[in-house]
Amino acid sequence: MPINIVAQGFFEGFSSIPYGWTIVKWLPWIALVGLLKWYFNGATNTSERNMHSKVVMMTGGTSGIGAEVAKGLSSRGAQLVLLTQQPLSDPFLVDYIMDLREQTNNELITAEHVDLSSLHSIRKFATKWVDNAPPRRLDMIILCANVRTPPGGKASVTEDGLESTWGINYMANFHLLSILSPALRVQPPDRDVRVIFGTCSSYMGGELPDTSDKKSTKSKKDSKAKEVIGFTPSGVYATSKLALMTFAMAFQKHLSAYTRPDKHPVNARVIIVDPGFSRTPGMRRFLTFGSLWGLALYLFMWPLWWLVLKSPDRGAQTFLYAAMEAQYGRGEGGVFLKECRQMKYLKPEIEDVNVQKKLWELSETTVQALEKEGAVRRAKEKKPEQEKKKTSP
Protein backbone atom coordinates (compact mmCIF):
# COMPACT_ATOMS: atom_id res chain seq x y z
CA MET A 1 0.00 0.00 0.00
CA PRO A 2 1.30 3.52 -0.74
CA ILE A 3 0.69 4.65 2.85
CA ASN A 4 2.79 1.80 4.23
CA ILE A 5 5.59 2.51 1.76
CA VAL A 6 5.62 6.22 2.67
CA ALA A 7 5.62 5.38 6.39
CA GLN A 8 8.53 2.98 5.90
CA GLY A 9 10.49 5.61 3.99
CA PHE A 10 9.77 8.24 6.64
CA PHE A 11 10.82 6.15 9.63
CA GLU A 12 13.50 3.91 8.12
CA GLY A 13 14.80 6.06 5.28
CA PHE A 14 14.16 5.77 1.57
CA SER A 15 17.14 3.48 1.18
CA SER A 16 15.08 0.79 2.92
CA ILE A 17 12.48 0.92 0.11
CA PRO A 18 13.32 -0.93 -3.14
CA TYR A 19 14.10 1.73 -5.76
CA GLY A 20 13.24 4.33 -3.11
CA TRP A 21 15.64 7.03 -4.27
CA THR A 22 14.74 6.37 -7.91
CA ILE A 23 11.10 7.05 -7.07
CA VAL A 24 12.06 10.25 -5.24
CA LYS A 25 14.11 11.47 -8.20
CA TRP A 26 11.26 10.85 -10.65
CA LEU A 27 8.51 12.40 -8.52
CA PRO A 28 9.23 16.03 -9.60
CA TRP A 29 9.14 15.01 -13.29
CA ILE A 30 5.90 13.11 -12.81
CA ALA A 31 4.44 16.13 -11.04
CA LEU A 32 5.62 18.41 -13.87
CA VAL A 33 3.99 16.21 -16.52
CA GLY A 34 0.79 16.15 -14.49
CA LEU A 35 0.84 19.93 -14.15
CA LEU A 36 1.44 20.42 -17.88
CA LYS A 37 -1.35 17.98 -18.76
CA TRP A 38 -3.73 19.84 -16.44
CA TYR A 39 -2.78 23.13 -18.12
CA PHE A 40 -3.16 21.89 -21.71
CA ASN A 41 -6.46 20.19 -20.90
CA GLY A 42 -8.01 23.63 -20.56
CA ALA A 43 -11.12 24.69 -18.68
CA THR A 44 -14.01 22.46 -17.67
CA ASN A 45 -17.63 23.38 -18.18
CA THR A 46 -19.34 23.85 -14.83
CA SER A 47 -22.66 25.15 -16.17
CA GLU A 48 -25.75 22.99 -16.33
CA ARG A 49 -29.09 23.49 -18.01
CA ASN A 50 -32.20 21.41 -18.41
CA MET A 51 -31.94 20.29 -22.04
CA HIS A 52 -35.07 18.11 -22.07
CA SER A 53 -37.41 19.07 -24.93
CA LYS A 54 -34.70 21.29 -26.51
CA VAL A 55 -34.24 20.65 -30.24
CA VAL A 56 -30.59 20.97 -31.27
CA MET A 57 -29.47 20.87 -34.91
CA MET A 58 -25.80 19.97 -35.42
CA THR A 59 -23.27 19.71 -38.20
CA GLY A 60 -20.11 17.67 -37.64
CA GLY A 61 -21.77 15.70 -34.85
CA THR A 62 -20.44 12.26 -35.77
CA SER A 63 -16.70 12.62 -35.12
CA GLY A 64 -14.12 14.56 -33.13
CA ILE A 65 -15.26 17.37 -30.89
CA GLY A 66 -18.72 17.41 -32.48
CA ALA A 67 -19.34 13.82 -31.42
CA GLU A 68 -18.49 14.69 -27.81
CA VAL A 69 -20.77 17.73 -27.91
CA ALA A 70 -23.56 15.55 -29.29
CA LYS A 71 -22.98 13.01 -26.53
CA GLY A 72 -22.90 15.69 -23.83
CA LEU A 73 -26.16 17.30 -24.94
CA SER A 74 -28.05 14.07 -25.62
CA SER A 75 -27.04 12.71 -22.20
CA ARG A 76 -28.79 15.78 -20.76
CA GLY A 77 -31.98 15.02 -22.65
CA ALA A 78 -31.68 17.20 -25.76
CA GLN A 79 -33.37 16.13 -28.99
CA LEU A 80 -30.61 16.02 -31.61
CA VAL A 81 -30.94 16.44 -35.37
CA LEU A 82 -27.57 15.52 -36.88
CA LEU A 83 -26.88 16.86 -40.36
CA THR A 84 -24.65 14.25 -41.97
CA GLN A 85 -22.93 13.77 -45.28
CA GLN A 86 -23.60 10.04 -45.19
CA PRO A 87 -26.90 8.69 -46.54
CA LEU A 88 -29.35 7.78 -43.80
CA SER A 89 -29.01 4.11 -44.74
CA ASP A 90 -25.23 4.14 -44.22
CA PRO A 91 -24.31 1.33 -41.76
CA PHE A 92 -21.80 3.53 -39.92
CA LEU A 93 -24.41 6.24 -39.34
CA VAL A 94 -27.06 3.76 -38.24
CA ASP A 95 -24.68 2.10 -35.77
CA TYR A 96 -23.46 5.48 -34.51
CA ILE A 97 -26.95 6.73 -33.75
CA MET A 98 -27.99 3.45 -32.12
CA ASP A 99 -24.85 3.47 -29.95
CA LEU A 100 -25.40 7.12 -28.99
CA ARG A 101 -28.99 6.41 -28.03
CA GLU A 102 -27.89 3.49 -25.88
CA GLN A 103 -25.00 5.36 -24.21
CA THR A 104 -27.10 8.41 -23.35
CA ASN A 105 -30.43 6.65 -22.73
CA ASN A 106 -31.99 9.09 -25.18
CA GLU A 107 -34.09 7.92 -28.13
CA LEU A 108 -34.60 11.45 -29.49
CA ILE A 109 -31.55 11.36 -31.77
CA THR A 110 -32.15 11.52 -35.51
CA ALA A 111 -30.22 12.45 -38.65
CA GLU A 112 -30.86 14.30 -41.89
CA HIS A 113 -28.82 13.87 -45.04
CA VAL A 114 -27.17 17.22 -45.86
CA ASP A 115 -24.05 17.32 -48.01
CA LEU A 116 -22.29 20.54 -47.01
CA SER A 117 -20.24 20.42 -50.20
CA SER A 118 -23.46 20.86 -52.22
CA LEU A 119 -25.43 24.11 -52.13
CA HIS A 120 -28.37 22.25 -53.66
CA SER A 121 -28.37 19.64 -50.88
CA ILE A 122 -28.30 22.38 -48.25
CA ARG A 123 -31.19 24.23 -49.88
CA LYS A 124 -33.31 21.06 -50.18
CA PHE A 125 -33.00 20.36 -46.47
CA ALA A 126 -33.28 23.94 -45.19
CA THR A 127 -36.31 24.89 -47.31
CA LYS A 128 -38.06 21.70 -46.25
CA TRP A 129 -37.40 22.59 -42.60
CA VAL A 130 -38.58 26.19 -42.98
CA ASP A 131 -41.68 25.33 -45.05
CA ASN A 132 -43.08 23.10 -42.32
CA ALA A 133 -46.41 24.27 -40.89
CA PRO A 134 -46.68 24.91 -38.01
CA PRO A 135 -43.07 26.04 -37.62
CA ARG A 136 -40.83 23.34 -36.18
CA ARG A 137 -39.22 23.86 -32.82
CA LEU A 138 -35.53 24.82 -33.02
CA ASP A 139 -33.69 25.84 -29.86
CA MET A 140 -30.10 25.64 -31.03
CA ILE A 141 -27.87 25.23 -34.08
CA ILE A 142 -24.29 24.09 -33.48
CA LEU A 143 -21.87 24.31 -36.41
CA CYS A 144 -18.98 21.89 -35.79
CA ALA A 145 -18.34 20.64 -39.34
CA ASN A 146 -14.83 21.51 -40.45
CA VAL A 147 -12.30 20.47 -43.10
CA ARG A 148 -8.65 21.35 -43.61
CA THR A 149 -6.24 20.45 -46.39
CA PRO A 150 -2.97 19.05 -44.96
CA PRO A 151 0.21 21.11 -45.48
CA GLY A 152 1.48 20.66 -49.03
CA GLY A 153 -1.87 19.25 -50.18
CA LYS A 154 -3.52 20.26 -53.41
CA ALA A 155 -6.74 22.19 -53.67
CA SER A 156 -9.94 20.24 -54.15
CA VAL A 157 -13.30 21.65 -55.16
CA THR A 158 -16.92 21.03 -54.25
CA GLU A 159 -19.49 20.06 -56.86
CA ASP A 160 -20.29 23.78 -57.20
CA GLY A 161 -16.66 24.61 -58.02
CA LEU A 162 -15.71 26.18 -54.68
CA GLU A 163 -12.41 25.29 -53.00
CA SER A 164 -13.44 22.67 -50.44
CA THR A 165 -12.13 24.37 -47.28
CA TRP A 166 -13.73 27.68 -48.21
CA GLY A 167 -16.91 26.04 -49.47
CA ILE A 168 -17.56 23.82 -46.44
CA ASN A 169 -16.14 25.90 -43.59
CA TYR A 170 -17.75 29.14 -44.68
CA MET A 171 -20.09 29.11 -47.70
CA ALA A 172 -22.06 26.07 -46.50
CA ASN A 173 -22.72 27.70 -43.12
CA PHE A 174 -23.64 31.00 -44.76
CA HIS A 175 -26.10 29.25 -47.08
CA LEU A 176 -27.61 27.07 -44.35
CA LEU A 177 -28.22 29.90 -41.89
CA SER A 178 -29.42 32.33 -44.55
CA ILE A 179 -32.28 29.95 -45.32
CA LEU A 180 -32.93 28.85 -41.72
CA SER A 181 -33.05 32.36 -40.26
CA PRO A 182 -36.90 32.54 -40.45
CA ALA A 183 -37.08 29.31 -38.44
CA LEU A 184 -34.96 30.95 -35.73
CA ARG A 185 -36.86 34.23 -35.65
CA VAL A 186 -40.29 32.57 -35.46
CA GLN A 187 -39.57 30.75 -32.18
CA PRO A 188 -41.78 31.80 -29.22
CA PRO A 189 -40.44 34.72 -27.15
CA ASP A 190 -39.91 32.65 -24.01
CA ARG A 191 -37.53 30.30 -25.82
CA ASP A 192 -33.74 30.62 -25.46
CA VAL A 193 -32.43 30.24 -29.03
CA ARG A 194 -28.69 29.99 -29.66
CA VAL A 195 -26.55 29.67 -32.79
CA ILE A 196 -23.06 28.40 -31.92
CA PHE A 197 -20.22 28.72 -34.44
CA GLY A 198 -17.03 26.68 -34.11
CA THR A 199 -13.83 28.51 -35.00
CA CYS A 200 -10.06 28.26 -34.48
CA SER A 201 -7.30 30.62 -33.34
CA SER A 202 -5.83 30.42 -36.84
CA TYR A 203 -8.40 33.06 -37.84
CA MET A 204 -5.81 35.63 -36.77
CA GLY A 205 -3.76 34.79 -39.88
CA GLY A 206 -6.67 35.09 -42.29
CA GLU A 207 -7.33 37.77 -44.89
CA LEU A 208 -10.85 38.31 -46.16
CA PRO A 209 -11.46 38.20 -49.93
CA ASP A 210 -11.47 41.46 -51.82
CA THR A 211 -15.17 42.27 -51.77
CA SER A 212 -14.70 44.87 -54.48
CA ASP A 213 -13.49 42.21 -56.95
CA LYS A 214 -16.54 41.31 -59.01
CA LYS A 215 -14.53 38.63 -60.79
CA SER A 216 -14.74 36.54 -57.64
CA THR A 217 -18.33 35.62 -58.51
CA LYS A 218 -17.48 34.24 -61.95
CA SER A 219 -18.33 30.64 -62.62
CA LYS A 220 -15.11 29.09 -63.87
CA LYS A 221 -15.18 25.86 -61.94
CA ASP A 222 -11.45 25.19 -62.03
CA SER A 223 -10.37 28.63 -60.85
CA LYS A 224 -13.11 30.11 -58.73
CA ALA A 225 -11.52 29.28 -55.36
CA LYS A 226 -8.20 30.77 -56.41
CA GLU A 227 -9.83 33.95 -57.67
CA VAL A 228 -11.60 34.46 -54.35
CA ILE A 229 -8.83 33.83 -51.83
CA GLY A 230 -5.75 32.30 -53.43
CA PHE A 231 -4.90 28.76 -52.36
CA THR A 232 -2.47 27.71 -49.68
CA PRO A 233 -3.71 25.13 -47.14
CA SER A 234 -3.02 27.30 -44.10
CA GLY A 235 -4.14 30.52 -45.76
CA VAL A 236 -7.48 29.27 -47.02
CA TYR A 237 -8.26 27.64 -43.67
CA ALA A 238 -7.46 30.80 -41.71
CA THR A 239 -9.49 32.90 -44.14
CA SER A 240 -12.48 30.56 -43.93
CA LYS A 241 -12.51 30.89 -40.14
CA LEU A 242 -12.11 34.67 -40.25
CA ALA A 243 -14.96 34.92 -42.76
CA LEU A 244 -17.13 32.63 -40.63
CA MET A 245 -16.60 34.80 -37.54
CA THR A 246 -17.31 37.97 -39.52
CA PHE A 247 -20.48 36.41 -40.89
CA ALA A 248 -21.47 35.30 -37.36
CA MET A 249 -21.42 38.91 -36.19
CA ALA A 250 -23.37 40.00 -39.26
CA PHE A 251 -25.88 37.21 -38.67
CA GLN A 252 -26.45 38.43 -35.11
CA LYS A 253 -27.27 41.88 -36.51
CA HIS A 254 -29.55 40.22 -39.07
CA LEU A 255 -31.45 38.44 -36.30
CA SER A 256 -31.57 41.48 -34.02
CA ALA A 257 -32.91 43.75 -36.79
CA TYR A 258 -36.06 41.65 -37.10
CA THR A 259 -39.21 43.14 -35.60
CA ARG A 260 -41.37 40.40 -34.15
CA PRO A 261 -45.14 40.60 -34.76
CA ASP A 262 -45.71 40.16 -31.01
CA LYS A 263 -43.32 43.08 -30.31
CA HIS A 264 -41.18 40.97 -27.99
CA PRO A 265 -37.39 41.37 -28.19
CA VAL A 266 -35.44 39.02 -30.41
CA ASN A 267 -34.50 35.87 -28.49
CA ALA A 268 -31.91 34.36 -30.89
CA ARG A 269 -28.26 34.90 -30.02
CA VAL A 270 -24.99 34.05 -31.76
CA ILE A 271 -22.04 32.59 -29.85
CA ILE A 272 -18.60 31.90 -31.35
CA VAL A 273 -16.51 29.14 -29.75
CA ASP A 274 -12.81 28.34 -30.05
CA PRO A 275 -12.41 24.84 -28.54
CA GLY A 276 -8.60 24.87 -28.66
CA PHE A 277 -6.34 22.25 -30.23
CA SER A 278 -7.56 18.68 -29.78
CA ARG A 279 -6.69 15.17 -30.94
CA THR A 280 -9.41 14.98 -33.55
CA PRO A 281 -9.31 13.13 -36.91
CA GLY A 282 -8.86 16.49 -38.64
CA MET A 283 -5.92 17.44 -36.41
CA ARG A 284 -4.34 14.03 -36.95
CA ARG A 285 -4.65 14.44 -40.73
CA PHE A 286 -3.07 17.89 -40.45
CA LEU A 287 -0.15 16.68 -38.31
CA THR A 288 0.50 13.65 -40.52
CA PHE A 289 0.42 15.71 -43.74
CA GLY A 290 -2.13 13.17 -44.93
CA SER A 291 0.64 10.62 -45.58
CA LEU A 292 1.75 7.23 -44.26
CA TRP A 293 5.21 8.44 -43.26
CA GLY A 294 3.52 11.32 -41.44
CA LEU A 295 1.31 8.83 -39.61
CA ALA A 296 4.39 6.88 -38.52
CA LEU A 297 5.97 10.09 -37.21
CA TYR A 298 2.71 10.98 -35.46
CA LEU A 299 2.68 7.61 -33.67
CA PHE A 300 6.34 8.03 -32.68
CA MET A 301 5.55 11.47 -31.23
CA TRP A 302 2.33 10.33 -29.58
CA PRO A 303 3.48 11.14 -26.00
CA LEU A 304 4.01 14.77 -27.04
CA TRP A 305 0.62 15.03 -28.77
CA TRP A 306 -1.04 13.38 -25.76
CA LEU A 307 0.52 16.02 -23.54
CA VAL A 308 -0.11 19.21 -25.51
CA LEU A 309 -3.38 18.38 -27.30
CA LYS A 310 -6.74 18.01 -25.63
CA SER A 311 -8.89 14.95 -25.95
CA PRO A 312 -12.10 15.52 -27.96
CA ASP A 313 -14.04 15.43 -24.70
CA ARG A 314 -11.95 18.28 -23.27
CA GLY A 315 -12.29 20.18 -26.54
CA ALA A 316 -16.08 19.96 -26.24
CA GLN A 317 -16.17 21.75 -22.88
CA THR A 318 -16.47 25.31 -24.23
CA PHE A 319 -19.20 24.22 -26.67
CA LEU A 320 -21.15 22.74 -23.77
CA TYR A 321 -20.53 25.90 -21.76
CA ALA A 322 -21.88 28.02 -24.63
CA ALA A 323 -24.94 25.78 -24.89
CA MET A 324 -25.79 25.78 -21.19
CA GLU A 325 -24.43 28.91 -19.48
CA ALA A 326 -27.46 31.01 -18.45
CA GLN A 327 -25.93 34.44 -19.08
CA TYR A 328 -25.65 33.77 -22.83
CA GLY A 329 -29.40 33.37 -23.04
CA ARG A 330 -29.65 37.09 -22.38
CA GLY A 331 -28.06 40.21 -23.83
CA GLU A 332 -27.16 41.15 -27.39
CA GLY A 333 -25.24 38.03 -28.42
CA GLY A 334 -22.19 37.92 -30.64
CA VAL A 335 -19.86 36.81 -27.84
CA PHE A 336 -16.58 34.94 -28.38
CA LEU A 337 -15.70 32.13 -25.95
CA LYS A 338 -12.48 30.24 -25.37
CA GLU A 339 -11.66 28.05 -22.37
CA CYS A 340 -15.14 28.76 -20.99
CA ARG A 341 -14.36 32.48 -20.82
CA GLN A 342 -15.44 35.44 -22.90
CA MET A 343 -12.62 36.78 -25.07
CA LYS A 344 -12.01 39.78 -27.31
CA TYR A 345 -11.70 39.56 -31.08
CA LEU A 346 -8.14 40.04 -32.26
CA LYS A 347 -9.05 41.01 -35.83
CA PRO A 348 -10.86 44.36 -36.13
CA GLU A 349 -12.67 43.44 -39.36
CA ILE A 350 -14.82 40.93 -37.48
CA GLU A 351 -16.67 43.78 -35.79
CA ASP A 352 -16.50 46.17 -38.76
CA VAL A 353 -20.06 46.74 -39.97
CA ASN A 354 -18.98 47.71 -43.50
CA VAL A 355 -16.81 44.60 -43.86
CA GLN A 356 -19.67 42.44 -42.59
CA LYS A 357 -22.08 43.97 -45.11
CA LYS A 358 -19.72 43.59 -48.07
CA LEU A 359 -18.85 39.99 -47.18
CA TRP A 360 -22.55 39.14 -46.88
CA GLU A 361 -23.31 40.72 -50.26
CA LEU A 362 -20.40 38.94 -51.95
CA SER A 363 -21.41 35.60 -50.43
CA GLU A 364 -25.04 36.06 -51.41
CA THR A 365 -24.12 36.96 -54.99
CA THR A 366 -21.79 33.97 -55.25
CA VAL A 367 -24.43 31.56 -53.93
CA GLN A 368 -27.04 32.87 -56.35
CA ALA A 369 -24.69 32.50 -59.32
CA LEU A 370 -23.63 29.00 -58.33
CA GLU A 371 -27.18 27.83 -57.69
CA LYS A 372 -28.24 29.01 -61.16
CA GLU A 373 -25.33 27.13 -62.71
CA GLY A 374 -26.19 24.06 -60.66
CA ALA A 375 -29.83 24.16 -61.77
CA VAL A 376 -28.78 24.36 -65.43
CA ARG A 377 -26.32 21.50 -64.95
CA ARG A 378 -28.89 19.26 -63.27
CA ALA A 379 -31.42 20.02 -66.02
CA LYS A 380 -28.92 18.98 -68.68
CA GLU A 381 -28.15 15.77 -66.80
CA LYS A 382 -31.84 14.91 -66.55
CA LYS A 383 -32.62 15.66 -70.20
CA PRO A 384 -31.17 12.41 -71.66
CA GLU A 385 -33.10 10.39 -69.09
CA GLN A 386 -36.34 12.19 -69.91
CA GLU A 387 -35.82 11.67 -73.63
CA LYS A 388 -35.07 8.02 -73.05
CA LYS A 389 -38.31 7.59 -71.14
CA LYS A 390 -40.27 9.24 -73.95
CA THR A 391 -38.81 6.95 -76.63
CA SER A 392 -39.14 3.78 -74.56
CA PRO A 393 -42.28 1.69 -75.35
Side-chain angles (χ1 to χ4, degrees), residues 83-86 112-118 121-122 125-126 176:
L83 309 189
T84 66
Q85 184 178 357
Q86 298 93 344
E112 295 281 354
H113 174 59
V114 182
D115 185 357
L116 296 180
S117 65
S118 168
S121 177
I122 294 170
F125 163 75
L176 178 66

Side-chain angles (χ1 to χ4, degrees), residues 305-350:
W305 304 134
W306 172 86
L307 180 63
V308 302
L309 298 178
K310 301 177 182 179
S311 66
D313 172 63
R314 300 299 303 181
Q317 296 303 302
T318 305
F319 274 103
L320 296 175
Y321 176 73
M324 293 187 284
E325 173 57 35
Q327 64 175 309
Y328 301 121
R330 304 182 294 270
E332 297 180 355
V335 297
F336 177 36
L337 302 178
K338 184 174 182 178
E339 301 300 345
C340 299
R341 291 184 300 166
Q342 191 167 336
M343 310 293 286
K344 293 182 179 180
Y345 299 102
L346 299 180
K347 295 281 282 189
E349 50 263 54
I350 294 175

Side-chain angles (χ1 to χ4, degrees), residues 138-348:
L138 185 58
D139 297 87
M140 192 177 301
I141 300 177
I142 302 179
L143 304 170
C144 286
N146 178 74
V147 297
R148 181 170 187 169
T149 304
K154 296 181 179 180
S156 60
V157 296
T158 67
E159 69 173 48
D160 299 292
L162 291 166
E163 192 280 322
S164 296
T165 306
W166 175 255
I168 295 174
N169 291 1
Y170 171 64
M171 293 299 296
N173 291 319
F174 172 85
H175 192 41
L176 178 66
L177 291 182
S178 296
I179 302 174
L180 287 179
S181 62
L184 295 168
R185 295 182 298 190
V186 77
Q187 299 301 313
D190 61 338
R191 196 164 289 168
D192 179 354
V193 181
R194 308 186 189 194
V195 183
I196 303 176
F197 291 75
T199 188
C200 173
S201 58
S202 63
Y203 81 91
M204 292 182 285
E207 294 293 336
L208 290 176
D210 183 2
T211 53
S212 65
D213 182 10
K214 301 303 181 183
K215 294 180 181 179
S216 62
T217 61
K218 286 186 176 181
S219 59
K220 295 179 181 179
K221 185 171 182 178
D222 60 347
S223 61
K224 184 183 285 72
K226 296 179 183 179
E227 286 182 350
V228 174
I229 48 180
F231 182 79
T232 61
S234 59
V236 70
Y237 183 78
T239 296
S240 70
K241 290 302 181 183
L242 177 60
L244 184 65
M245 295 173 72
T246 305
F247 164 64
M249 296 298 289
F251 191 65
Q252 179 65 72
K253 291 182 174 64
H254 169 75
L255 294 173
S256 300
Y258 176 67
T259 302
R260 295 176 59 98
D262 54 19
K263 305 305 178 183
H264 282 91
V266 174
N267 58 338
R269 295 167 183 85
V270 167
I271 305 171
I272 303 173
V273 169
D274 179 357
F277 298 113
S278 303
R279 298 188 304 275
T280 61
M283 175 61 76
R284 182 170 62 247
R285 186 164 181 261
F286 170 73
L287 292 175
T288 61
F289 297 85
S291 64
L292 290 176
W293 67 265
L295 179 60
L297 181 62
Y298 178 85
L299 293 174
F300 177 76
M301 297 181 64
W302 168 254
L304 175 63
W305 304 134
W306 172 86
L307 180 63
V308 302
L309 298 178
K310 301 177 182 179
S311 66
D313 172 63
R314 300 299 303 181
Q317 296 303 302
T318 305
F319 274 103
L320 296 175
Y321 176 73
M324 293 187 284
E325 173 57 35
Q327 64 175 309
Y328 301 121
R330 304 182 294 270
E332 297 180 355
V335 297
F336 177 36
L337 302 178
K338 184 174 182 178
E339 301 300 345
C340 299
R341 291 184 300 166
Q342 191 167 336
M343 310 293 286
K344 293 182 179 180
Y345 299 102
L346 299 180
K347 295 281 282 189

Side-chain angles (χ1 to χ4, degrees), residues 51 74 82 114 131 147 161 179 209 245 323 340 349 382 389-390:
M51 298 301 297
S74 57
L82 303 176
V114 182
D131 289 344
V147 297
I179 302 174
M245 295 173 72
C340 299
E349 50 263 54
K382 289 181 179 178
K389 288 180 179 180
K390 290 181 181 179

